[in-house]
Amino acid sequence: MSDDRSASWAEGEARELLSLMMIGVCVWIVGTQLGVFKILLEFTALHGLEHLLMLAICMSLGIGVAAVRKSFKLRRVMEARDGAQAQAESVARHDVLTGLANRRLFKETLDARLASAEGIPSIAVIQIDLDRFKPVNDVHGHAAGDAVLCAVADRLRGLLPPGNTAARLGGDEFALLFDYGADTESVSRLAQQIITSLSQPIPWGAGRLEIGATIGIALASVETVTSETLLHAADVAMYQGKRDGRSTYRFFQLEMGHALKIRALLEQDLRAGIARGEIEPFYQPVVALPGRELIGFEVLARWRHPEHGLMNPSDFITLAEETGMIADLCWSLMRQACRDARSWPQHLQLAINISPLQLQDKQMPERVLAILTETGFAPSRLEIEITETALVNDLEAARVALKSLQNLGVRIALDDFGTGYSSLYHLRELQFDKLKIDRSYVASIPLGSERAKLVDAIIALGSSLGLLTTAEGIETASSVDWLADQGCTYGQGFLFGAPMGKSATDVLLAEWSDESGKVVLDGAAEAQRQLKAGALRASAA
Ligand code: C2E
Ligand code: MG
Ligand code: MG
């Protein structure tokens, strides 16, 4: 019970007591004035009833005391009831784990702040989403996840100036309601302080847990004057921050809302496109070095959009990953590719890219097997390419999935090697069959730069671990010779052929095979011209 309520209760009790006493005094005055008491005393004395009178007085006193006791008891009951009510209210408005306000209280506070302001208030909604929180939960367990959330709450409390509100909106999402007064710069300063503070490791057992934070900020403005629009705007800005590379903060801009609408339309379009089978496989040749003999193709997705024409993966793969559509997209692509490749020479292999999300799917190996069985494609002809981002999310799940695939006879390649942040760690932890050296390294070879030395080192590292290596993005003949000299096993790039549709691939195989079915892509200018023309014809088809 609050002190205020306690004081008003005591005041009420005192008033009631005083009123009763006043009534008593009035009765006494009237009684003495009219001589009623005198008559009563004389009557009791005359009939020897003084004891009865005293008994009546004593009983009245007893009743008075009982009434006061009852009142105290009542007070205790009311206190307990009010306490329970206050606790229930607090639970309904606070996050049980961190003690911060929950979404409901945050929204109520925001509503109240907006309603009490004259004009547009100087407030910012700062939405914070933790980076790398899921791996903490998955790898170290929920107790570690809870410890991280509590540490985050403590750090936010410590950074937020008094009089402002910090809340946990749910999961690993937090929000601050910050009144910046006349100092707009203070919002950016606070956001930066939060990012710095949350990137400091959190002690856990004998070790420490590392997370980060991405922040979206919405300032109240003519366009964002309700709690819903402010929260939505902060959310949009936060997602922009995630897309821009995490551990950063972004202020909401109106264009972001526009971009979001376009994205929603594209999402609808992609969903329908996948269902209508508009995503088709393109095939980019992979050759063995130094002979440049075709050994297979990498399967790359293209969207044959009814209005926009042929779209590249950069226009839709990220969206498909963010919305979970990537799995449907990839399985349909794998099915089409395995069917296409059935008529091609049996020694040709297919390499297919798998997204991080699919690696989390425990049924992934079974799904691959089902497609191989359905299309009659041998597992030994299939290679799965994964990027390191897939491994960062959940290394243990990746290990299990990759091992099951390898047990089927499928090979695993680590794609875009050198662009992830802990390549060596993943090489040690997981058993790959192949490394694909990212094209950003390969492109620098002709310059003879320091990066070329790195390519040399990667090839040496691969062969010391017994891994095959593919250099991606080979565009010049001189880099092929250099790569072959360093011991690189395979090559892929525009020099040997750009990704092309099924019909262009059929043409390539028909026109370039010798009697034994061998295709040598020697990079001759005329051959390339024909290949590119074939690819273009297929694109336009
Ligand atoms: P990636 O797996 O590293 O594929 C290689 C990319 O390099 C392809 O781009 C290819 O067209 C491009 N490339 C090949 N040779 C050269 C060259 O000589 N020079 C240059 N500048 N580029 C070259 P693309 O087809 O645009 O694909 C981009 C990325 O999209 C792929 O990178 C892959 O990560 C992703 N992707 C494509 N298809 C799929 C898919 O079906 N599923 C998933 N999960 N990701 C896919
Ligand atoms: Mg790839
Ligand atoms: Mg690659």
Side-chain angles (χ1 to χ4, degrees):
M1 191 189 227
S2 70
D3 289 349
D4 282 357
R5 280 198 197 178
S6 199
S8 71
W9 182 87
E11 203 181 305
E13 287 291 298
R15 252 200 225 132
E16 202 174 307
L17 209 65
L18 210 66
S19 317
L20 285 172
M21 280 165 67
M22 289 305 290
I23 292 170
V25 170
C26 291
V27 171
W28 179 73
I29 291 171
V30 173
T32 31
Q33 289 300 312
L34 296 179
V36 177
F37 294 139
K38 209 171 151 205
I39 295 170
L40 199 66
L41 284 171
E42 278 172 6
F43 178 82
T44 46
L46 191 69
H47 296 91
L49 297 174
E50 300 97 325
H51 296 304
L52 271 180
L53 182 67
M54 288 316 292
L55 180 67
I57 292 170
C58 288
M59 280 172 74
S60 309
L61 265 173
I63 289 170
V65 170
V68 170
R69 249 194 88 218
K70 207 169 161 201
S71 167
F72 273 103
K73 238 178 162 175
L74 198 67
R75 179 187 172 182
R76 272 199 295 276
V77 170
M78 278 167 62
E79 268 180 357
R81 190 203 63 193
D82 286 356
Q85 195 176 332
Q87 201 185 359
E89 268 175 28
S90 167
V91 167
R93 287 180 160 69
H94 288 85
D95 172 49
V96 183
L97 178 68
T98 61
L100 293 182
N102 64 8
R103 186 182 282 275
R104 179 174 159 194
L105 178 56
F106 188 78
K107 198 175 160 301
E108 282 172 3
T109 316
L110 184 54
D111 281 332
R113 184 70 186 79
L114 289 167
S116 67
E118 281 175 21
I120 309 286
S122 56
I123 52 170
V125 169
I126 302 177
Q127 188 172 320
I128 304 147
D129 194 89
L130 303 185
D131 301 330
R132 299 185 296 282
F133 177 70
K134 194 176 175 302
V136 168
N137 243 345
D138 292 348
V139 177
H140 300 278
H142 287 274
D146 287 355
V148 166
L149 294 171
C150 290
V152 169
D154 285 345
R155 291 180 192 182
L156 291 179
R157 274 192 205 99
L159 289 170
L160 192 64
N164 296 289
T165 307
R168 179 177 170 217
L169 301 183
D172 61 348
E173 227 176 78
F174 293 81
L176 306 178
L177 174 56
F178 176 52
D179 195 332
Y180 55 86
D183 183 10
T184 23
E185 287 294 304
S186 61
V187 185
S188 318
R189 275 202 304 277
L190 179 60
Q192 193 50 61
Q193 282 169 348
I194 294 169
I195 290 172
T196 311
S197 165
L198 297 188
S199 65
Q200 303 302 314
I202 294 159
W204 173 250
R208 49 203 217 152
L209 305 168
E210 307 222 2
I211 53 151
T214 303
I215 295 179
I217 305 166
L219 304 182
S221 68
V222 187
E223 289 84 17
T224 51
V225 278
T226 64
S227 55
E228 285 85 6
T229 48
L230 264 171
L231 276 163
H232 178 66
D235 200 45
V236 170
M238 194 273 294
Y239 274 102
Q240 185 61 47
K242 291 242 170 201
R243 272 195 291 278
D244 291 349
R246 296 165 188 263
S247 288
T248 178
Y249 65 87
R250 289 285 176 269
F251 280 88
F252 173 75
Q253 325 246 296
L254 276 182
E255 306 85 79
M256 288 181 189
H258 181 61
L260 210 71
K261 279 196 196 106
I262 293 180
R263 189 189 131 101
L265 284 177
L266 188 67
E267 186 182 329
Q268 253 178 25
D269 223 11
L270 182 59
R271 210 173 285 281
I274 295 173
R276 286 196 295 260
E278 288 168 10
I279 315 294
E280 63 180 69
F282 264 45
Y283 302 96
Q284 183 172 35
V286 180
V287 301
L289 297 179
R292 306 179 188 199
E293 185 195 331
L294 183 72
I295 58 117
F297 300 94
E298 175 170 4
V299 180
L300 294 157
R302 295 291 182 270
W303 182 3
R304 202 176 286 280
H305 194 282
E307 286 163 40
H308 309 312
L310 202 64
M311 288 169 71
N312 281 324
S314 55
D315 298 323
F316 60 90
I317 288 289
T318 311
L319 179 69
E321 279 174 343
E322 285 171 1
T323 52
M325 285 186 258
I326 190 73
D328 282 348
L329 186 155
C330 178
W331 301 135
S332 135
L333 213 61
M334 188 182 281
R335 198 169 283 116
Q336 293 181 62
C338 291
R339 272 201 201 112
D340 286 352
R342 268 193 310 204
S343 59
W344 298 342
Q346 293 298 303
H347 68 277
L348 294 182
Q349 302 166 358
L350 286 183
I352 294 187
N353 296 280
I354 287 281
S355 92
L357 201 76
Q358 290 169 279
L359 217 57
Q360 309 288 314
D361 175 7
K362 290 200 169 53
Q363 249 99 61
M364 197 265 270
E366 282 86 354
R367 289 188 213 280
V368 172
L369 183 62
I371 292 174
L372 293 176
T373 316
E374 177 193 323
T375 56
F377 193 78
S380 57
R381 291 179 67 190
L382 183 69
E383 186 168 280
I384 296 280
E385 293 190 8
I386 55 163
T387 54
E388 282 191 72
T389 31
L391 306 172
V392 172
N393 285 346
D394 188 345
L395 190 63
E396 213 32 59
R399 194 198 307 276
V400 174
L402 298 185
K403 196 77 219 143
S404 331
L405 284 172
Q406 281 170 325
N407 288 342
L408 294 176
V410 175
R411 284 178 317 282
I412 310 291
L414 183 56
D415 202 358
D416 304 340
F417 186 78
T419 53
Y421 70 88
S422 57
S423 305
L424 291 175
Y425 171 72
H426 289 130
L427 274 190
R428 202 189 59 205
E429 289 295 307
L430 299 166
Q431 288 245 287
F432 294 101
D433 300 287
K434 188 191 264 185
L435 286 188
K436 293 194 78 177
I437 309 167
D438 191 66
R439 65 169 185 263
S440 58
Y441 289 87
V442 177
S444 59
I445 294 171
L447 303 171
S449 65
E450 288 296 307
R451 284 208 143 201
K453 287 189 194 150
L454 272 177
V455 177
D456 188 16
I458 294 173
I459 297 168
L461 174 75
S463 60
S464 73
L465 290 170
L467 304 177
L468 302 165
T469 39
T470 302
E472 295 185 283
I474 301 178
E475 293 183 358
T476 60
S478 58
S479 42
V480 185
D481 299 334
W482 186 86
L483 283 160
D485 284 349
Q486 308 312 307
C488 183
T489 342
Y490 304 110
Q492 179 183 346
F494 292 163
L495 181 73
F496 310 110
M500 54 198 145
K502 156 103 167 60
S503 45
T505 313
D506 286 340
V507 171
L508 163 80
L509 294 174
E511 293 182 5
W512 287 74
S513 302
D514 63 13
E515 312 77 54
S516 62
K518 219 165 107 174
V519 177
V520 176
L521 299 172
D522 56 10
E526 180 55 16
Q528 287 316 297
R529 201 194 59 71
Q530 284 183 22
L531 267 183
K532 277 195 183 141
L536 285 177
R537 271 203 307 279
S539 310

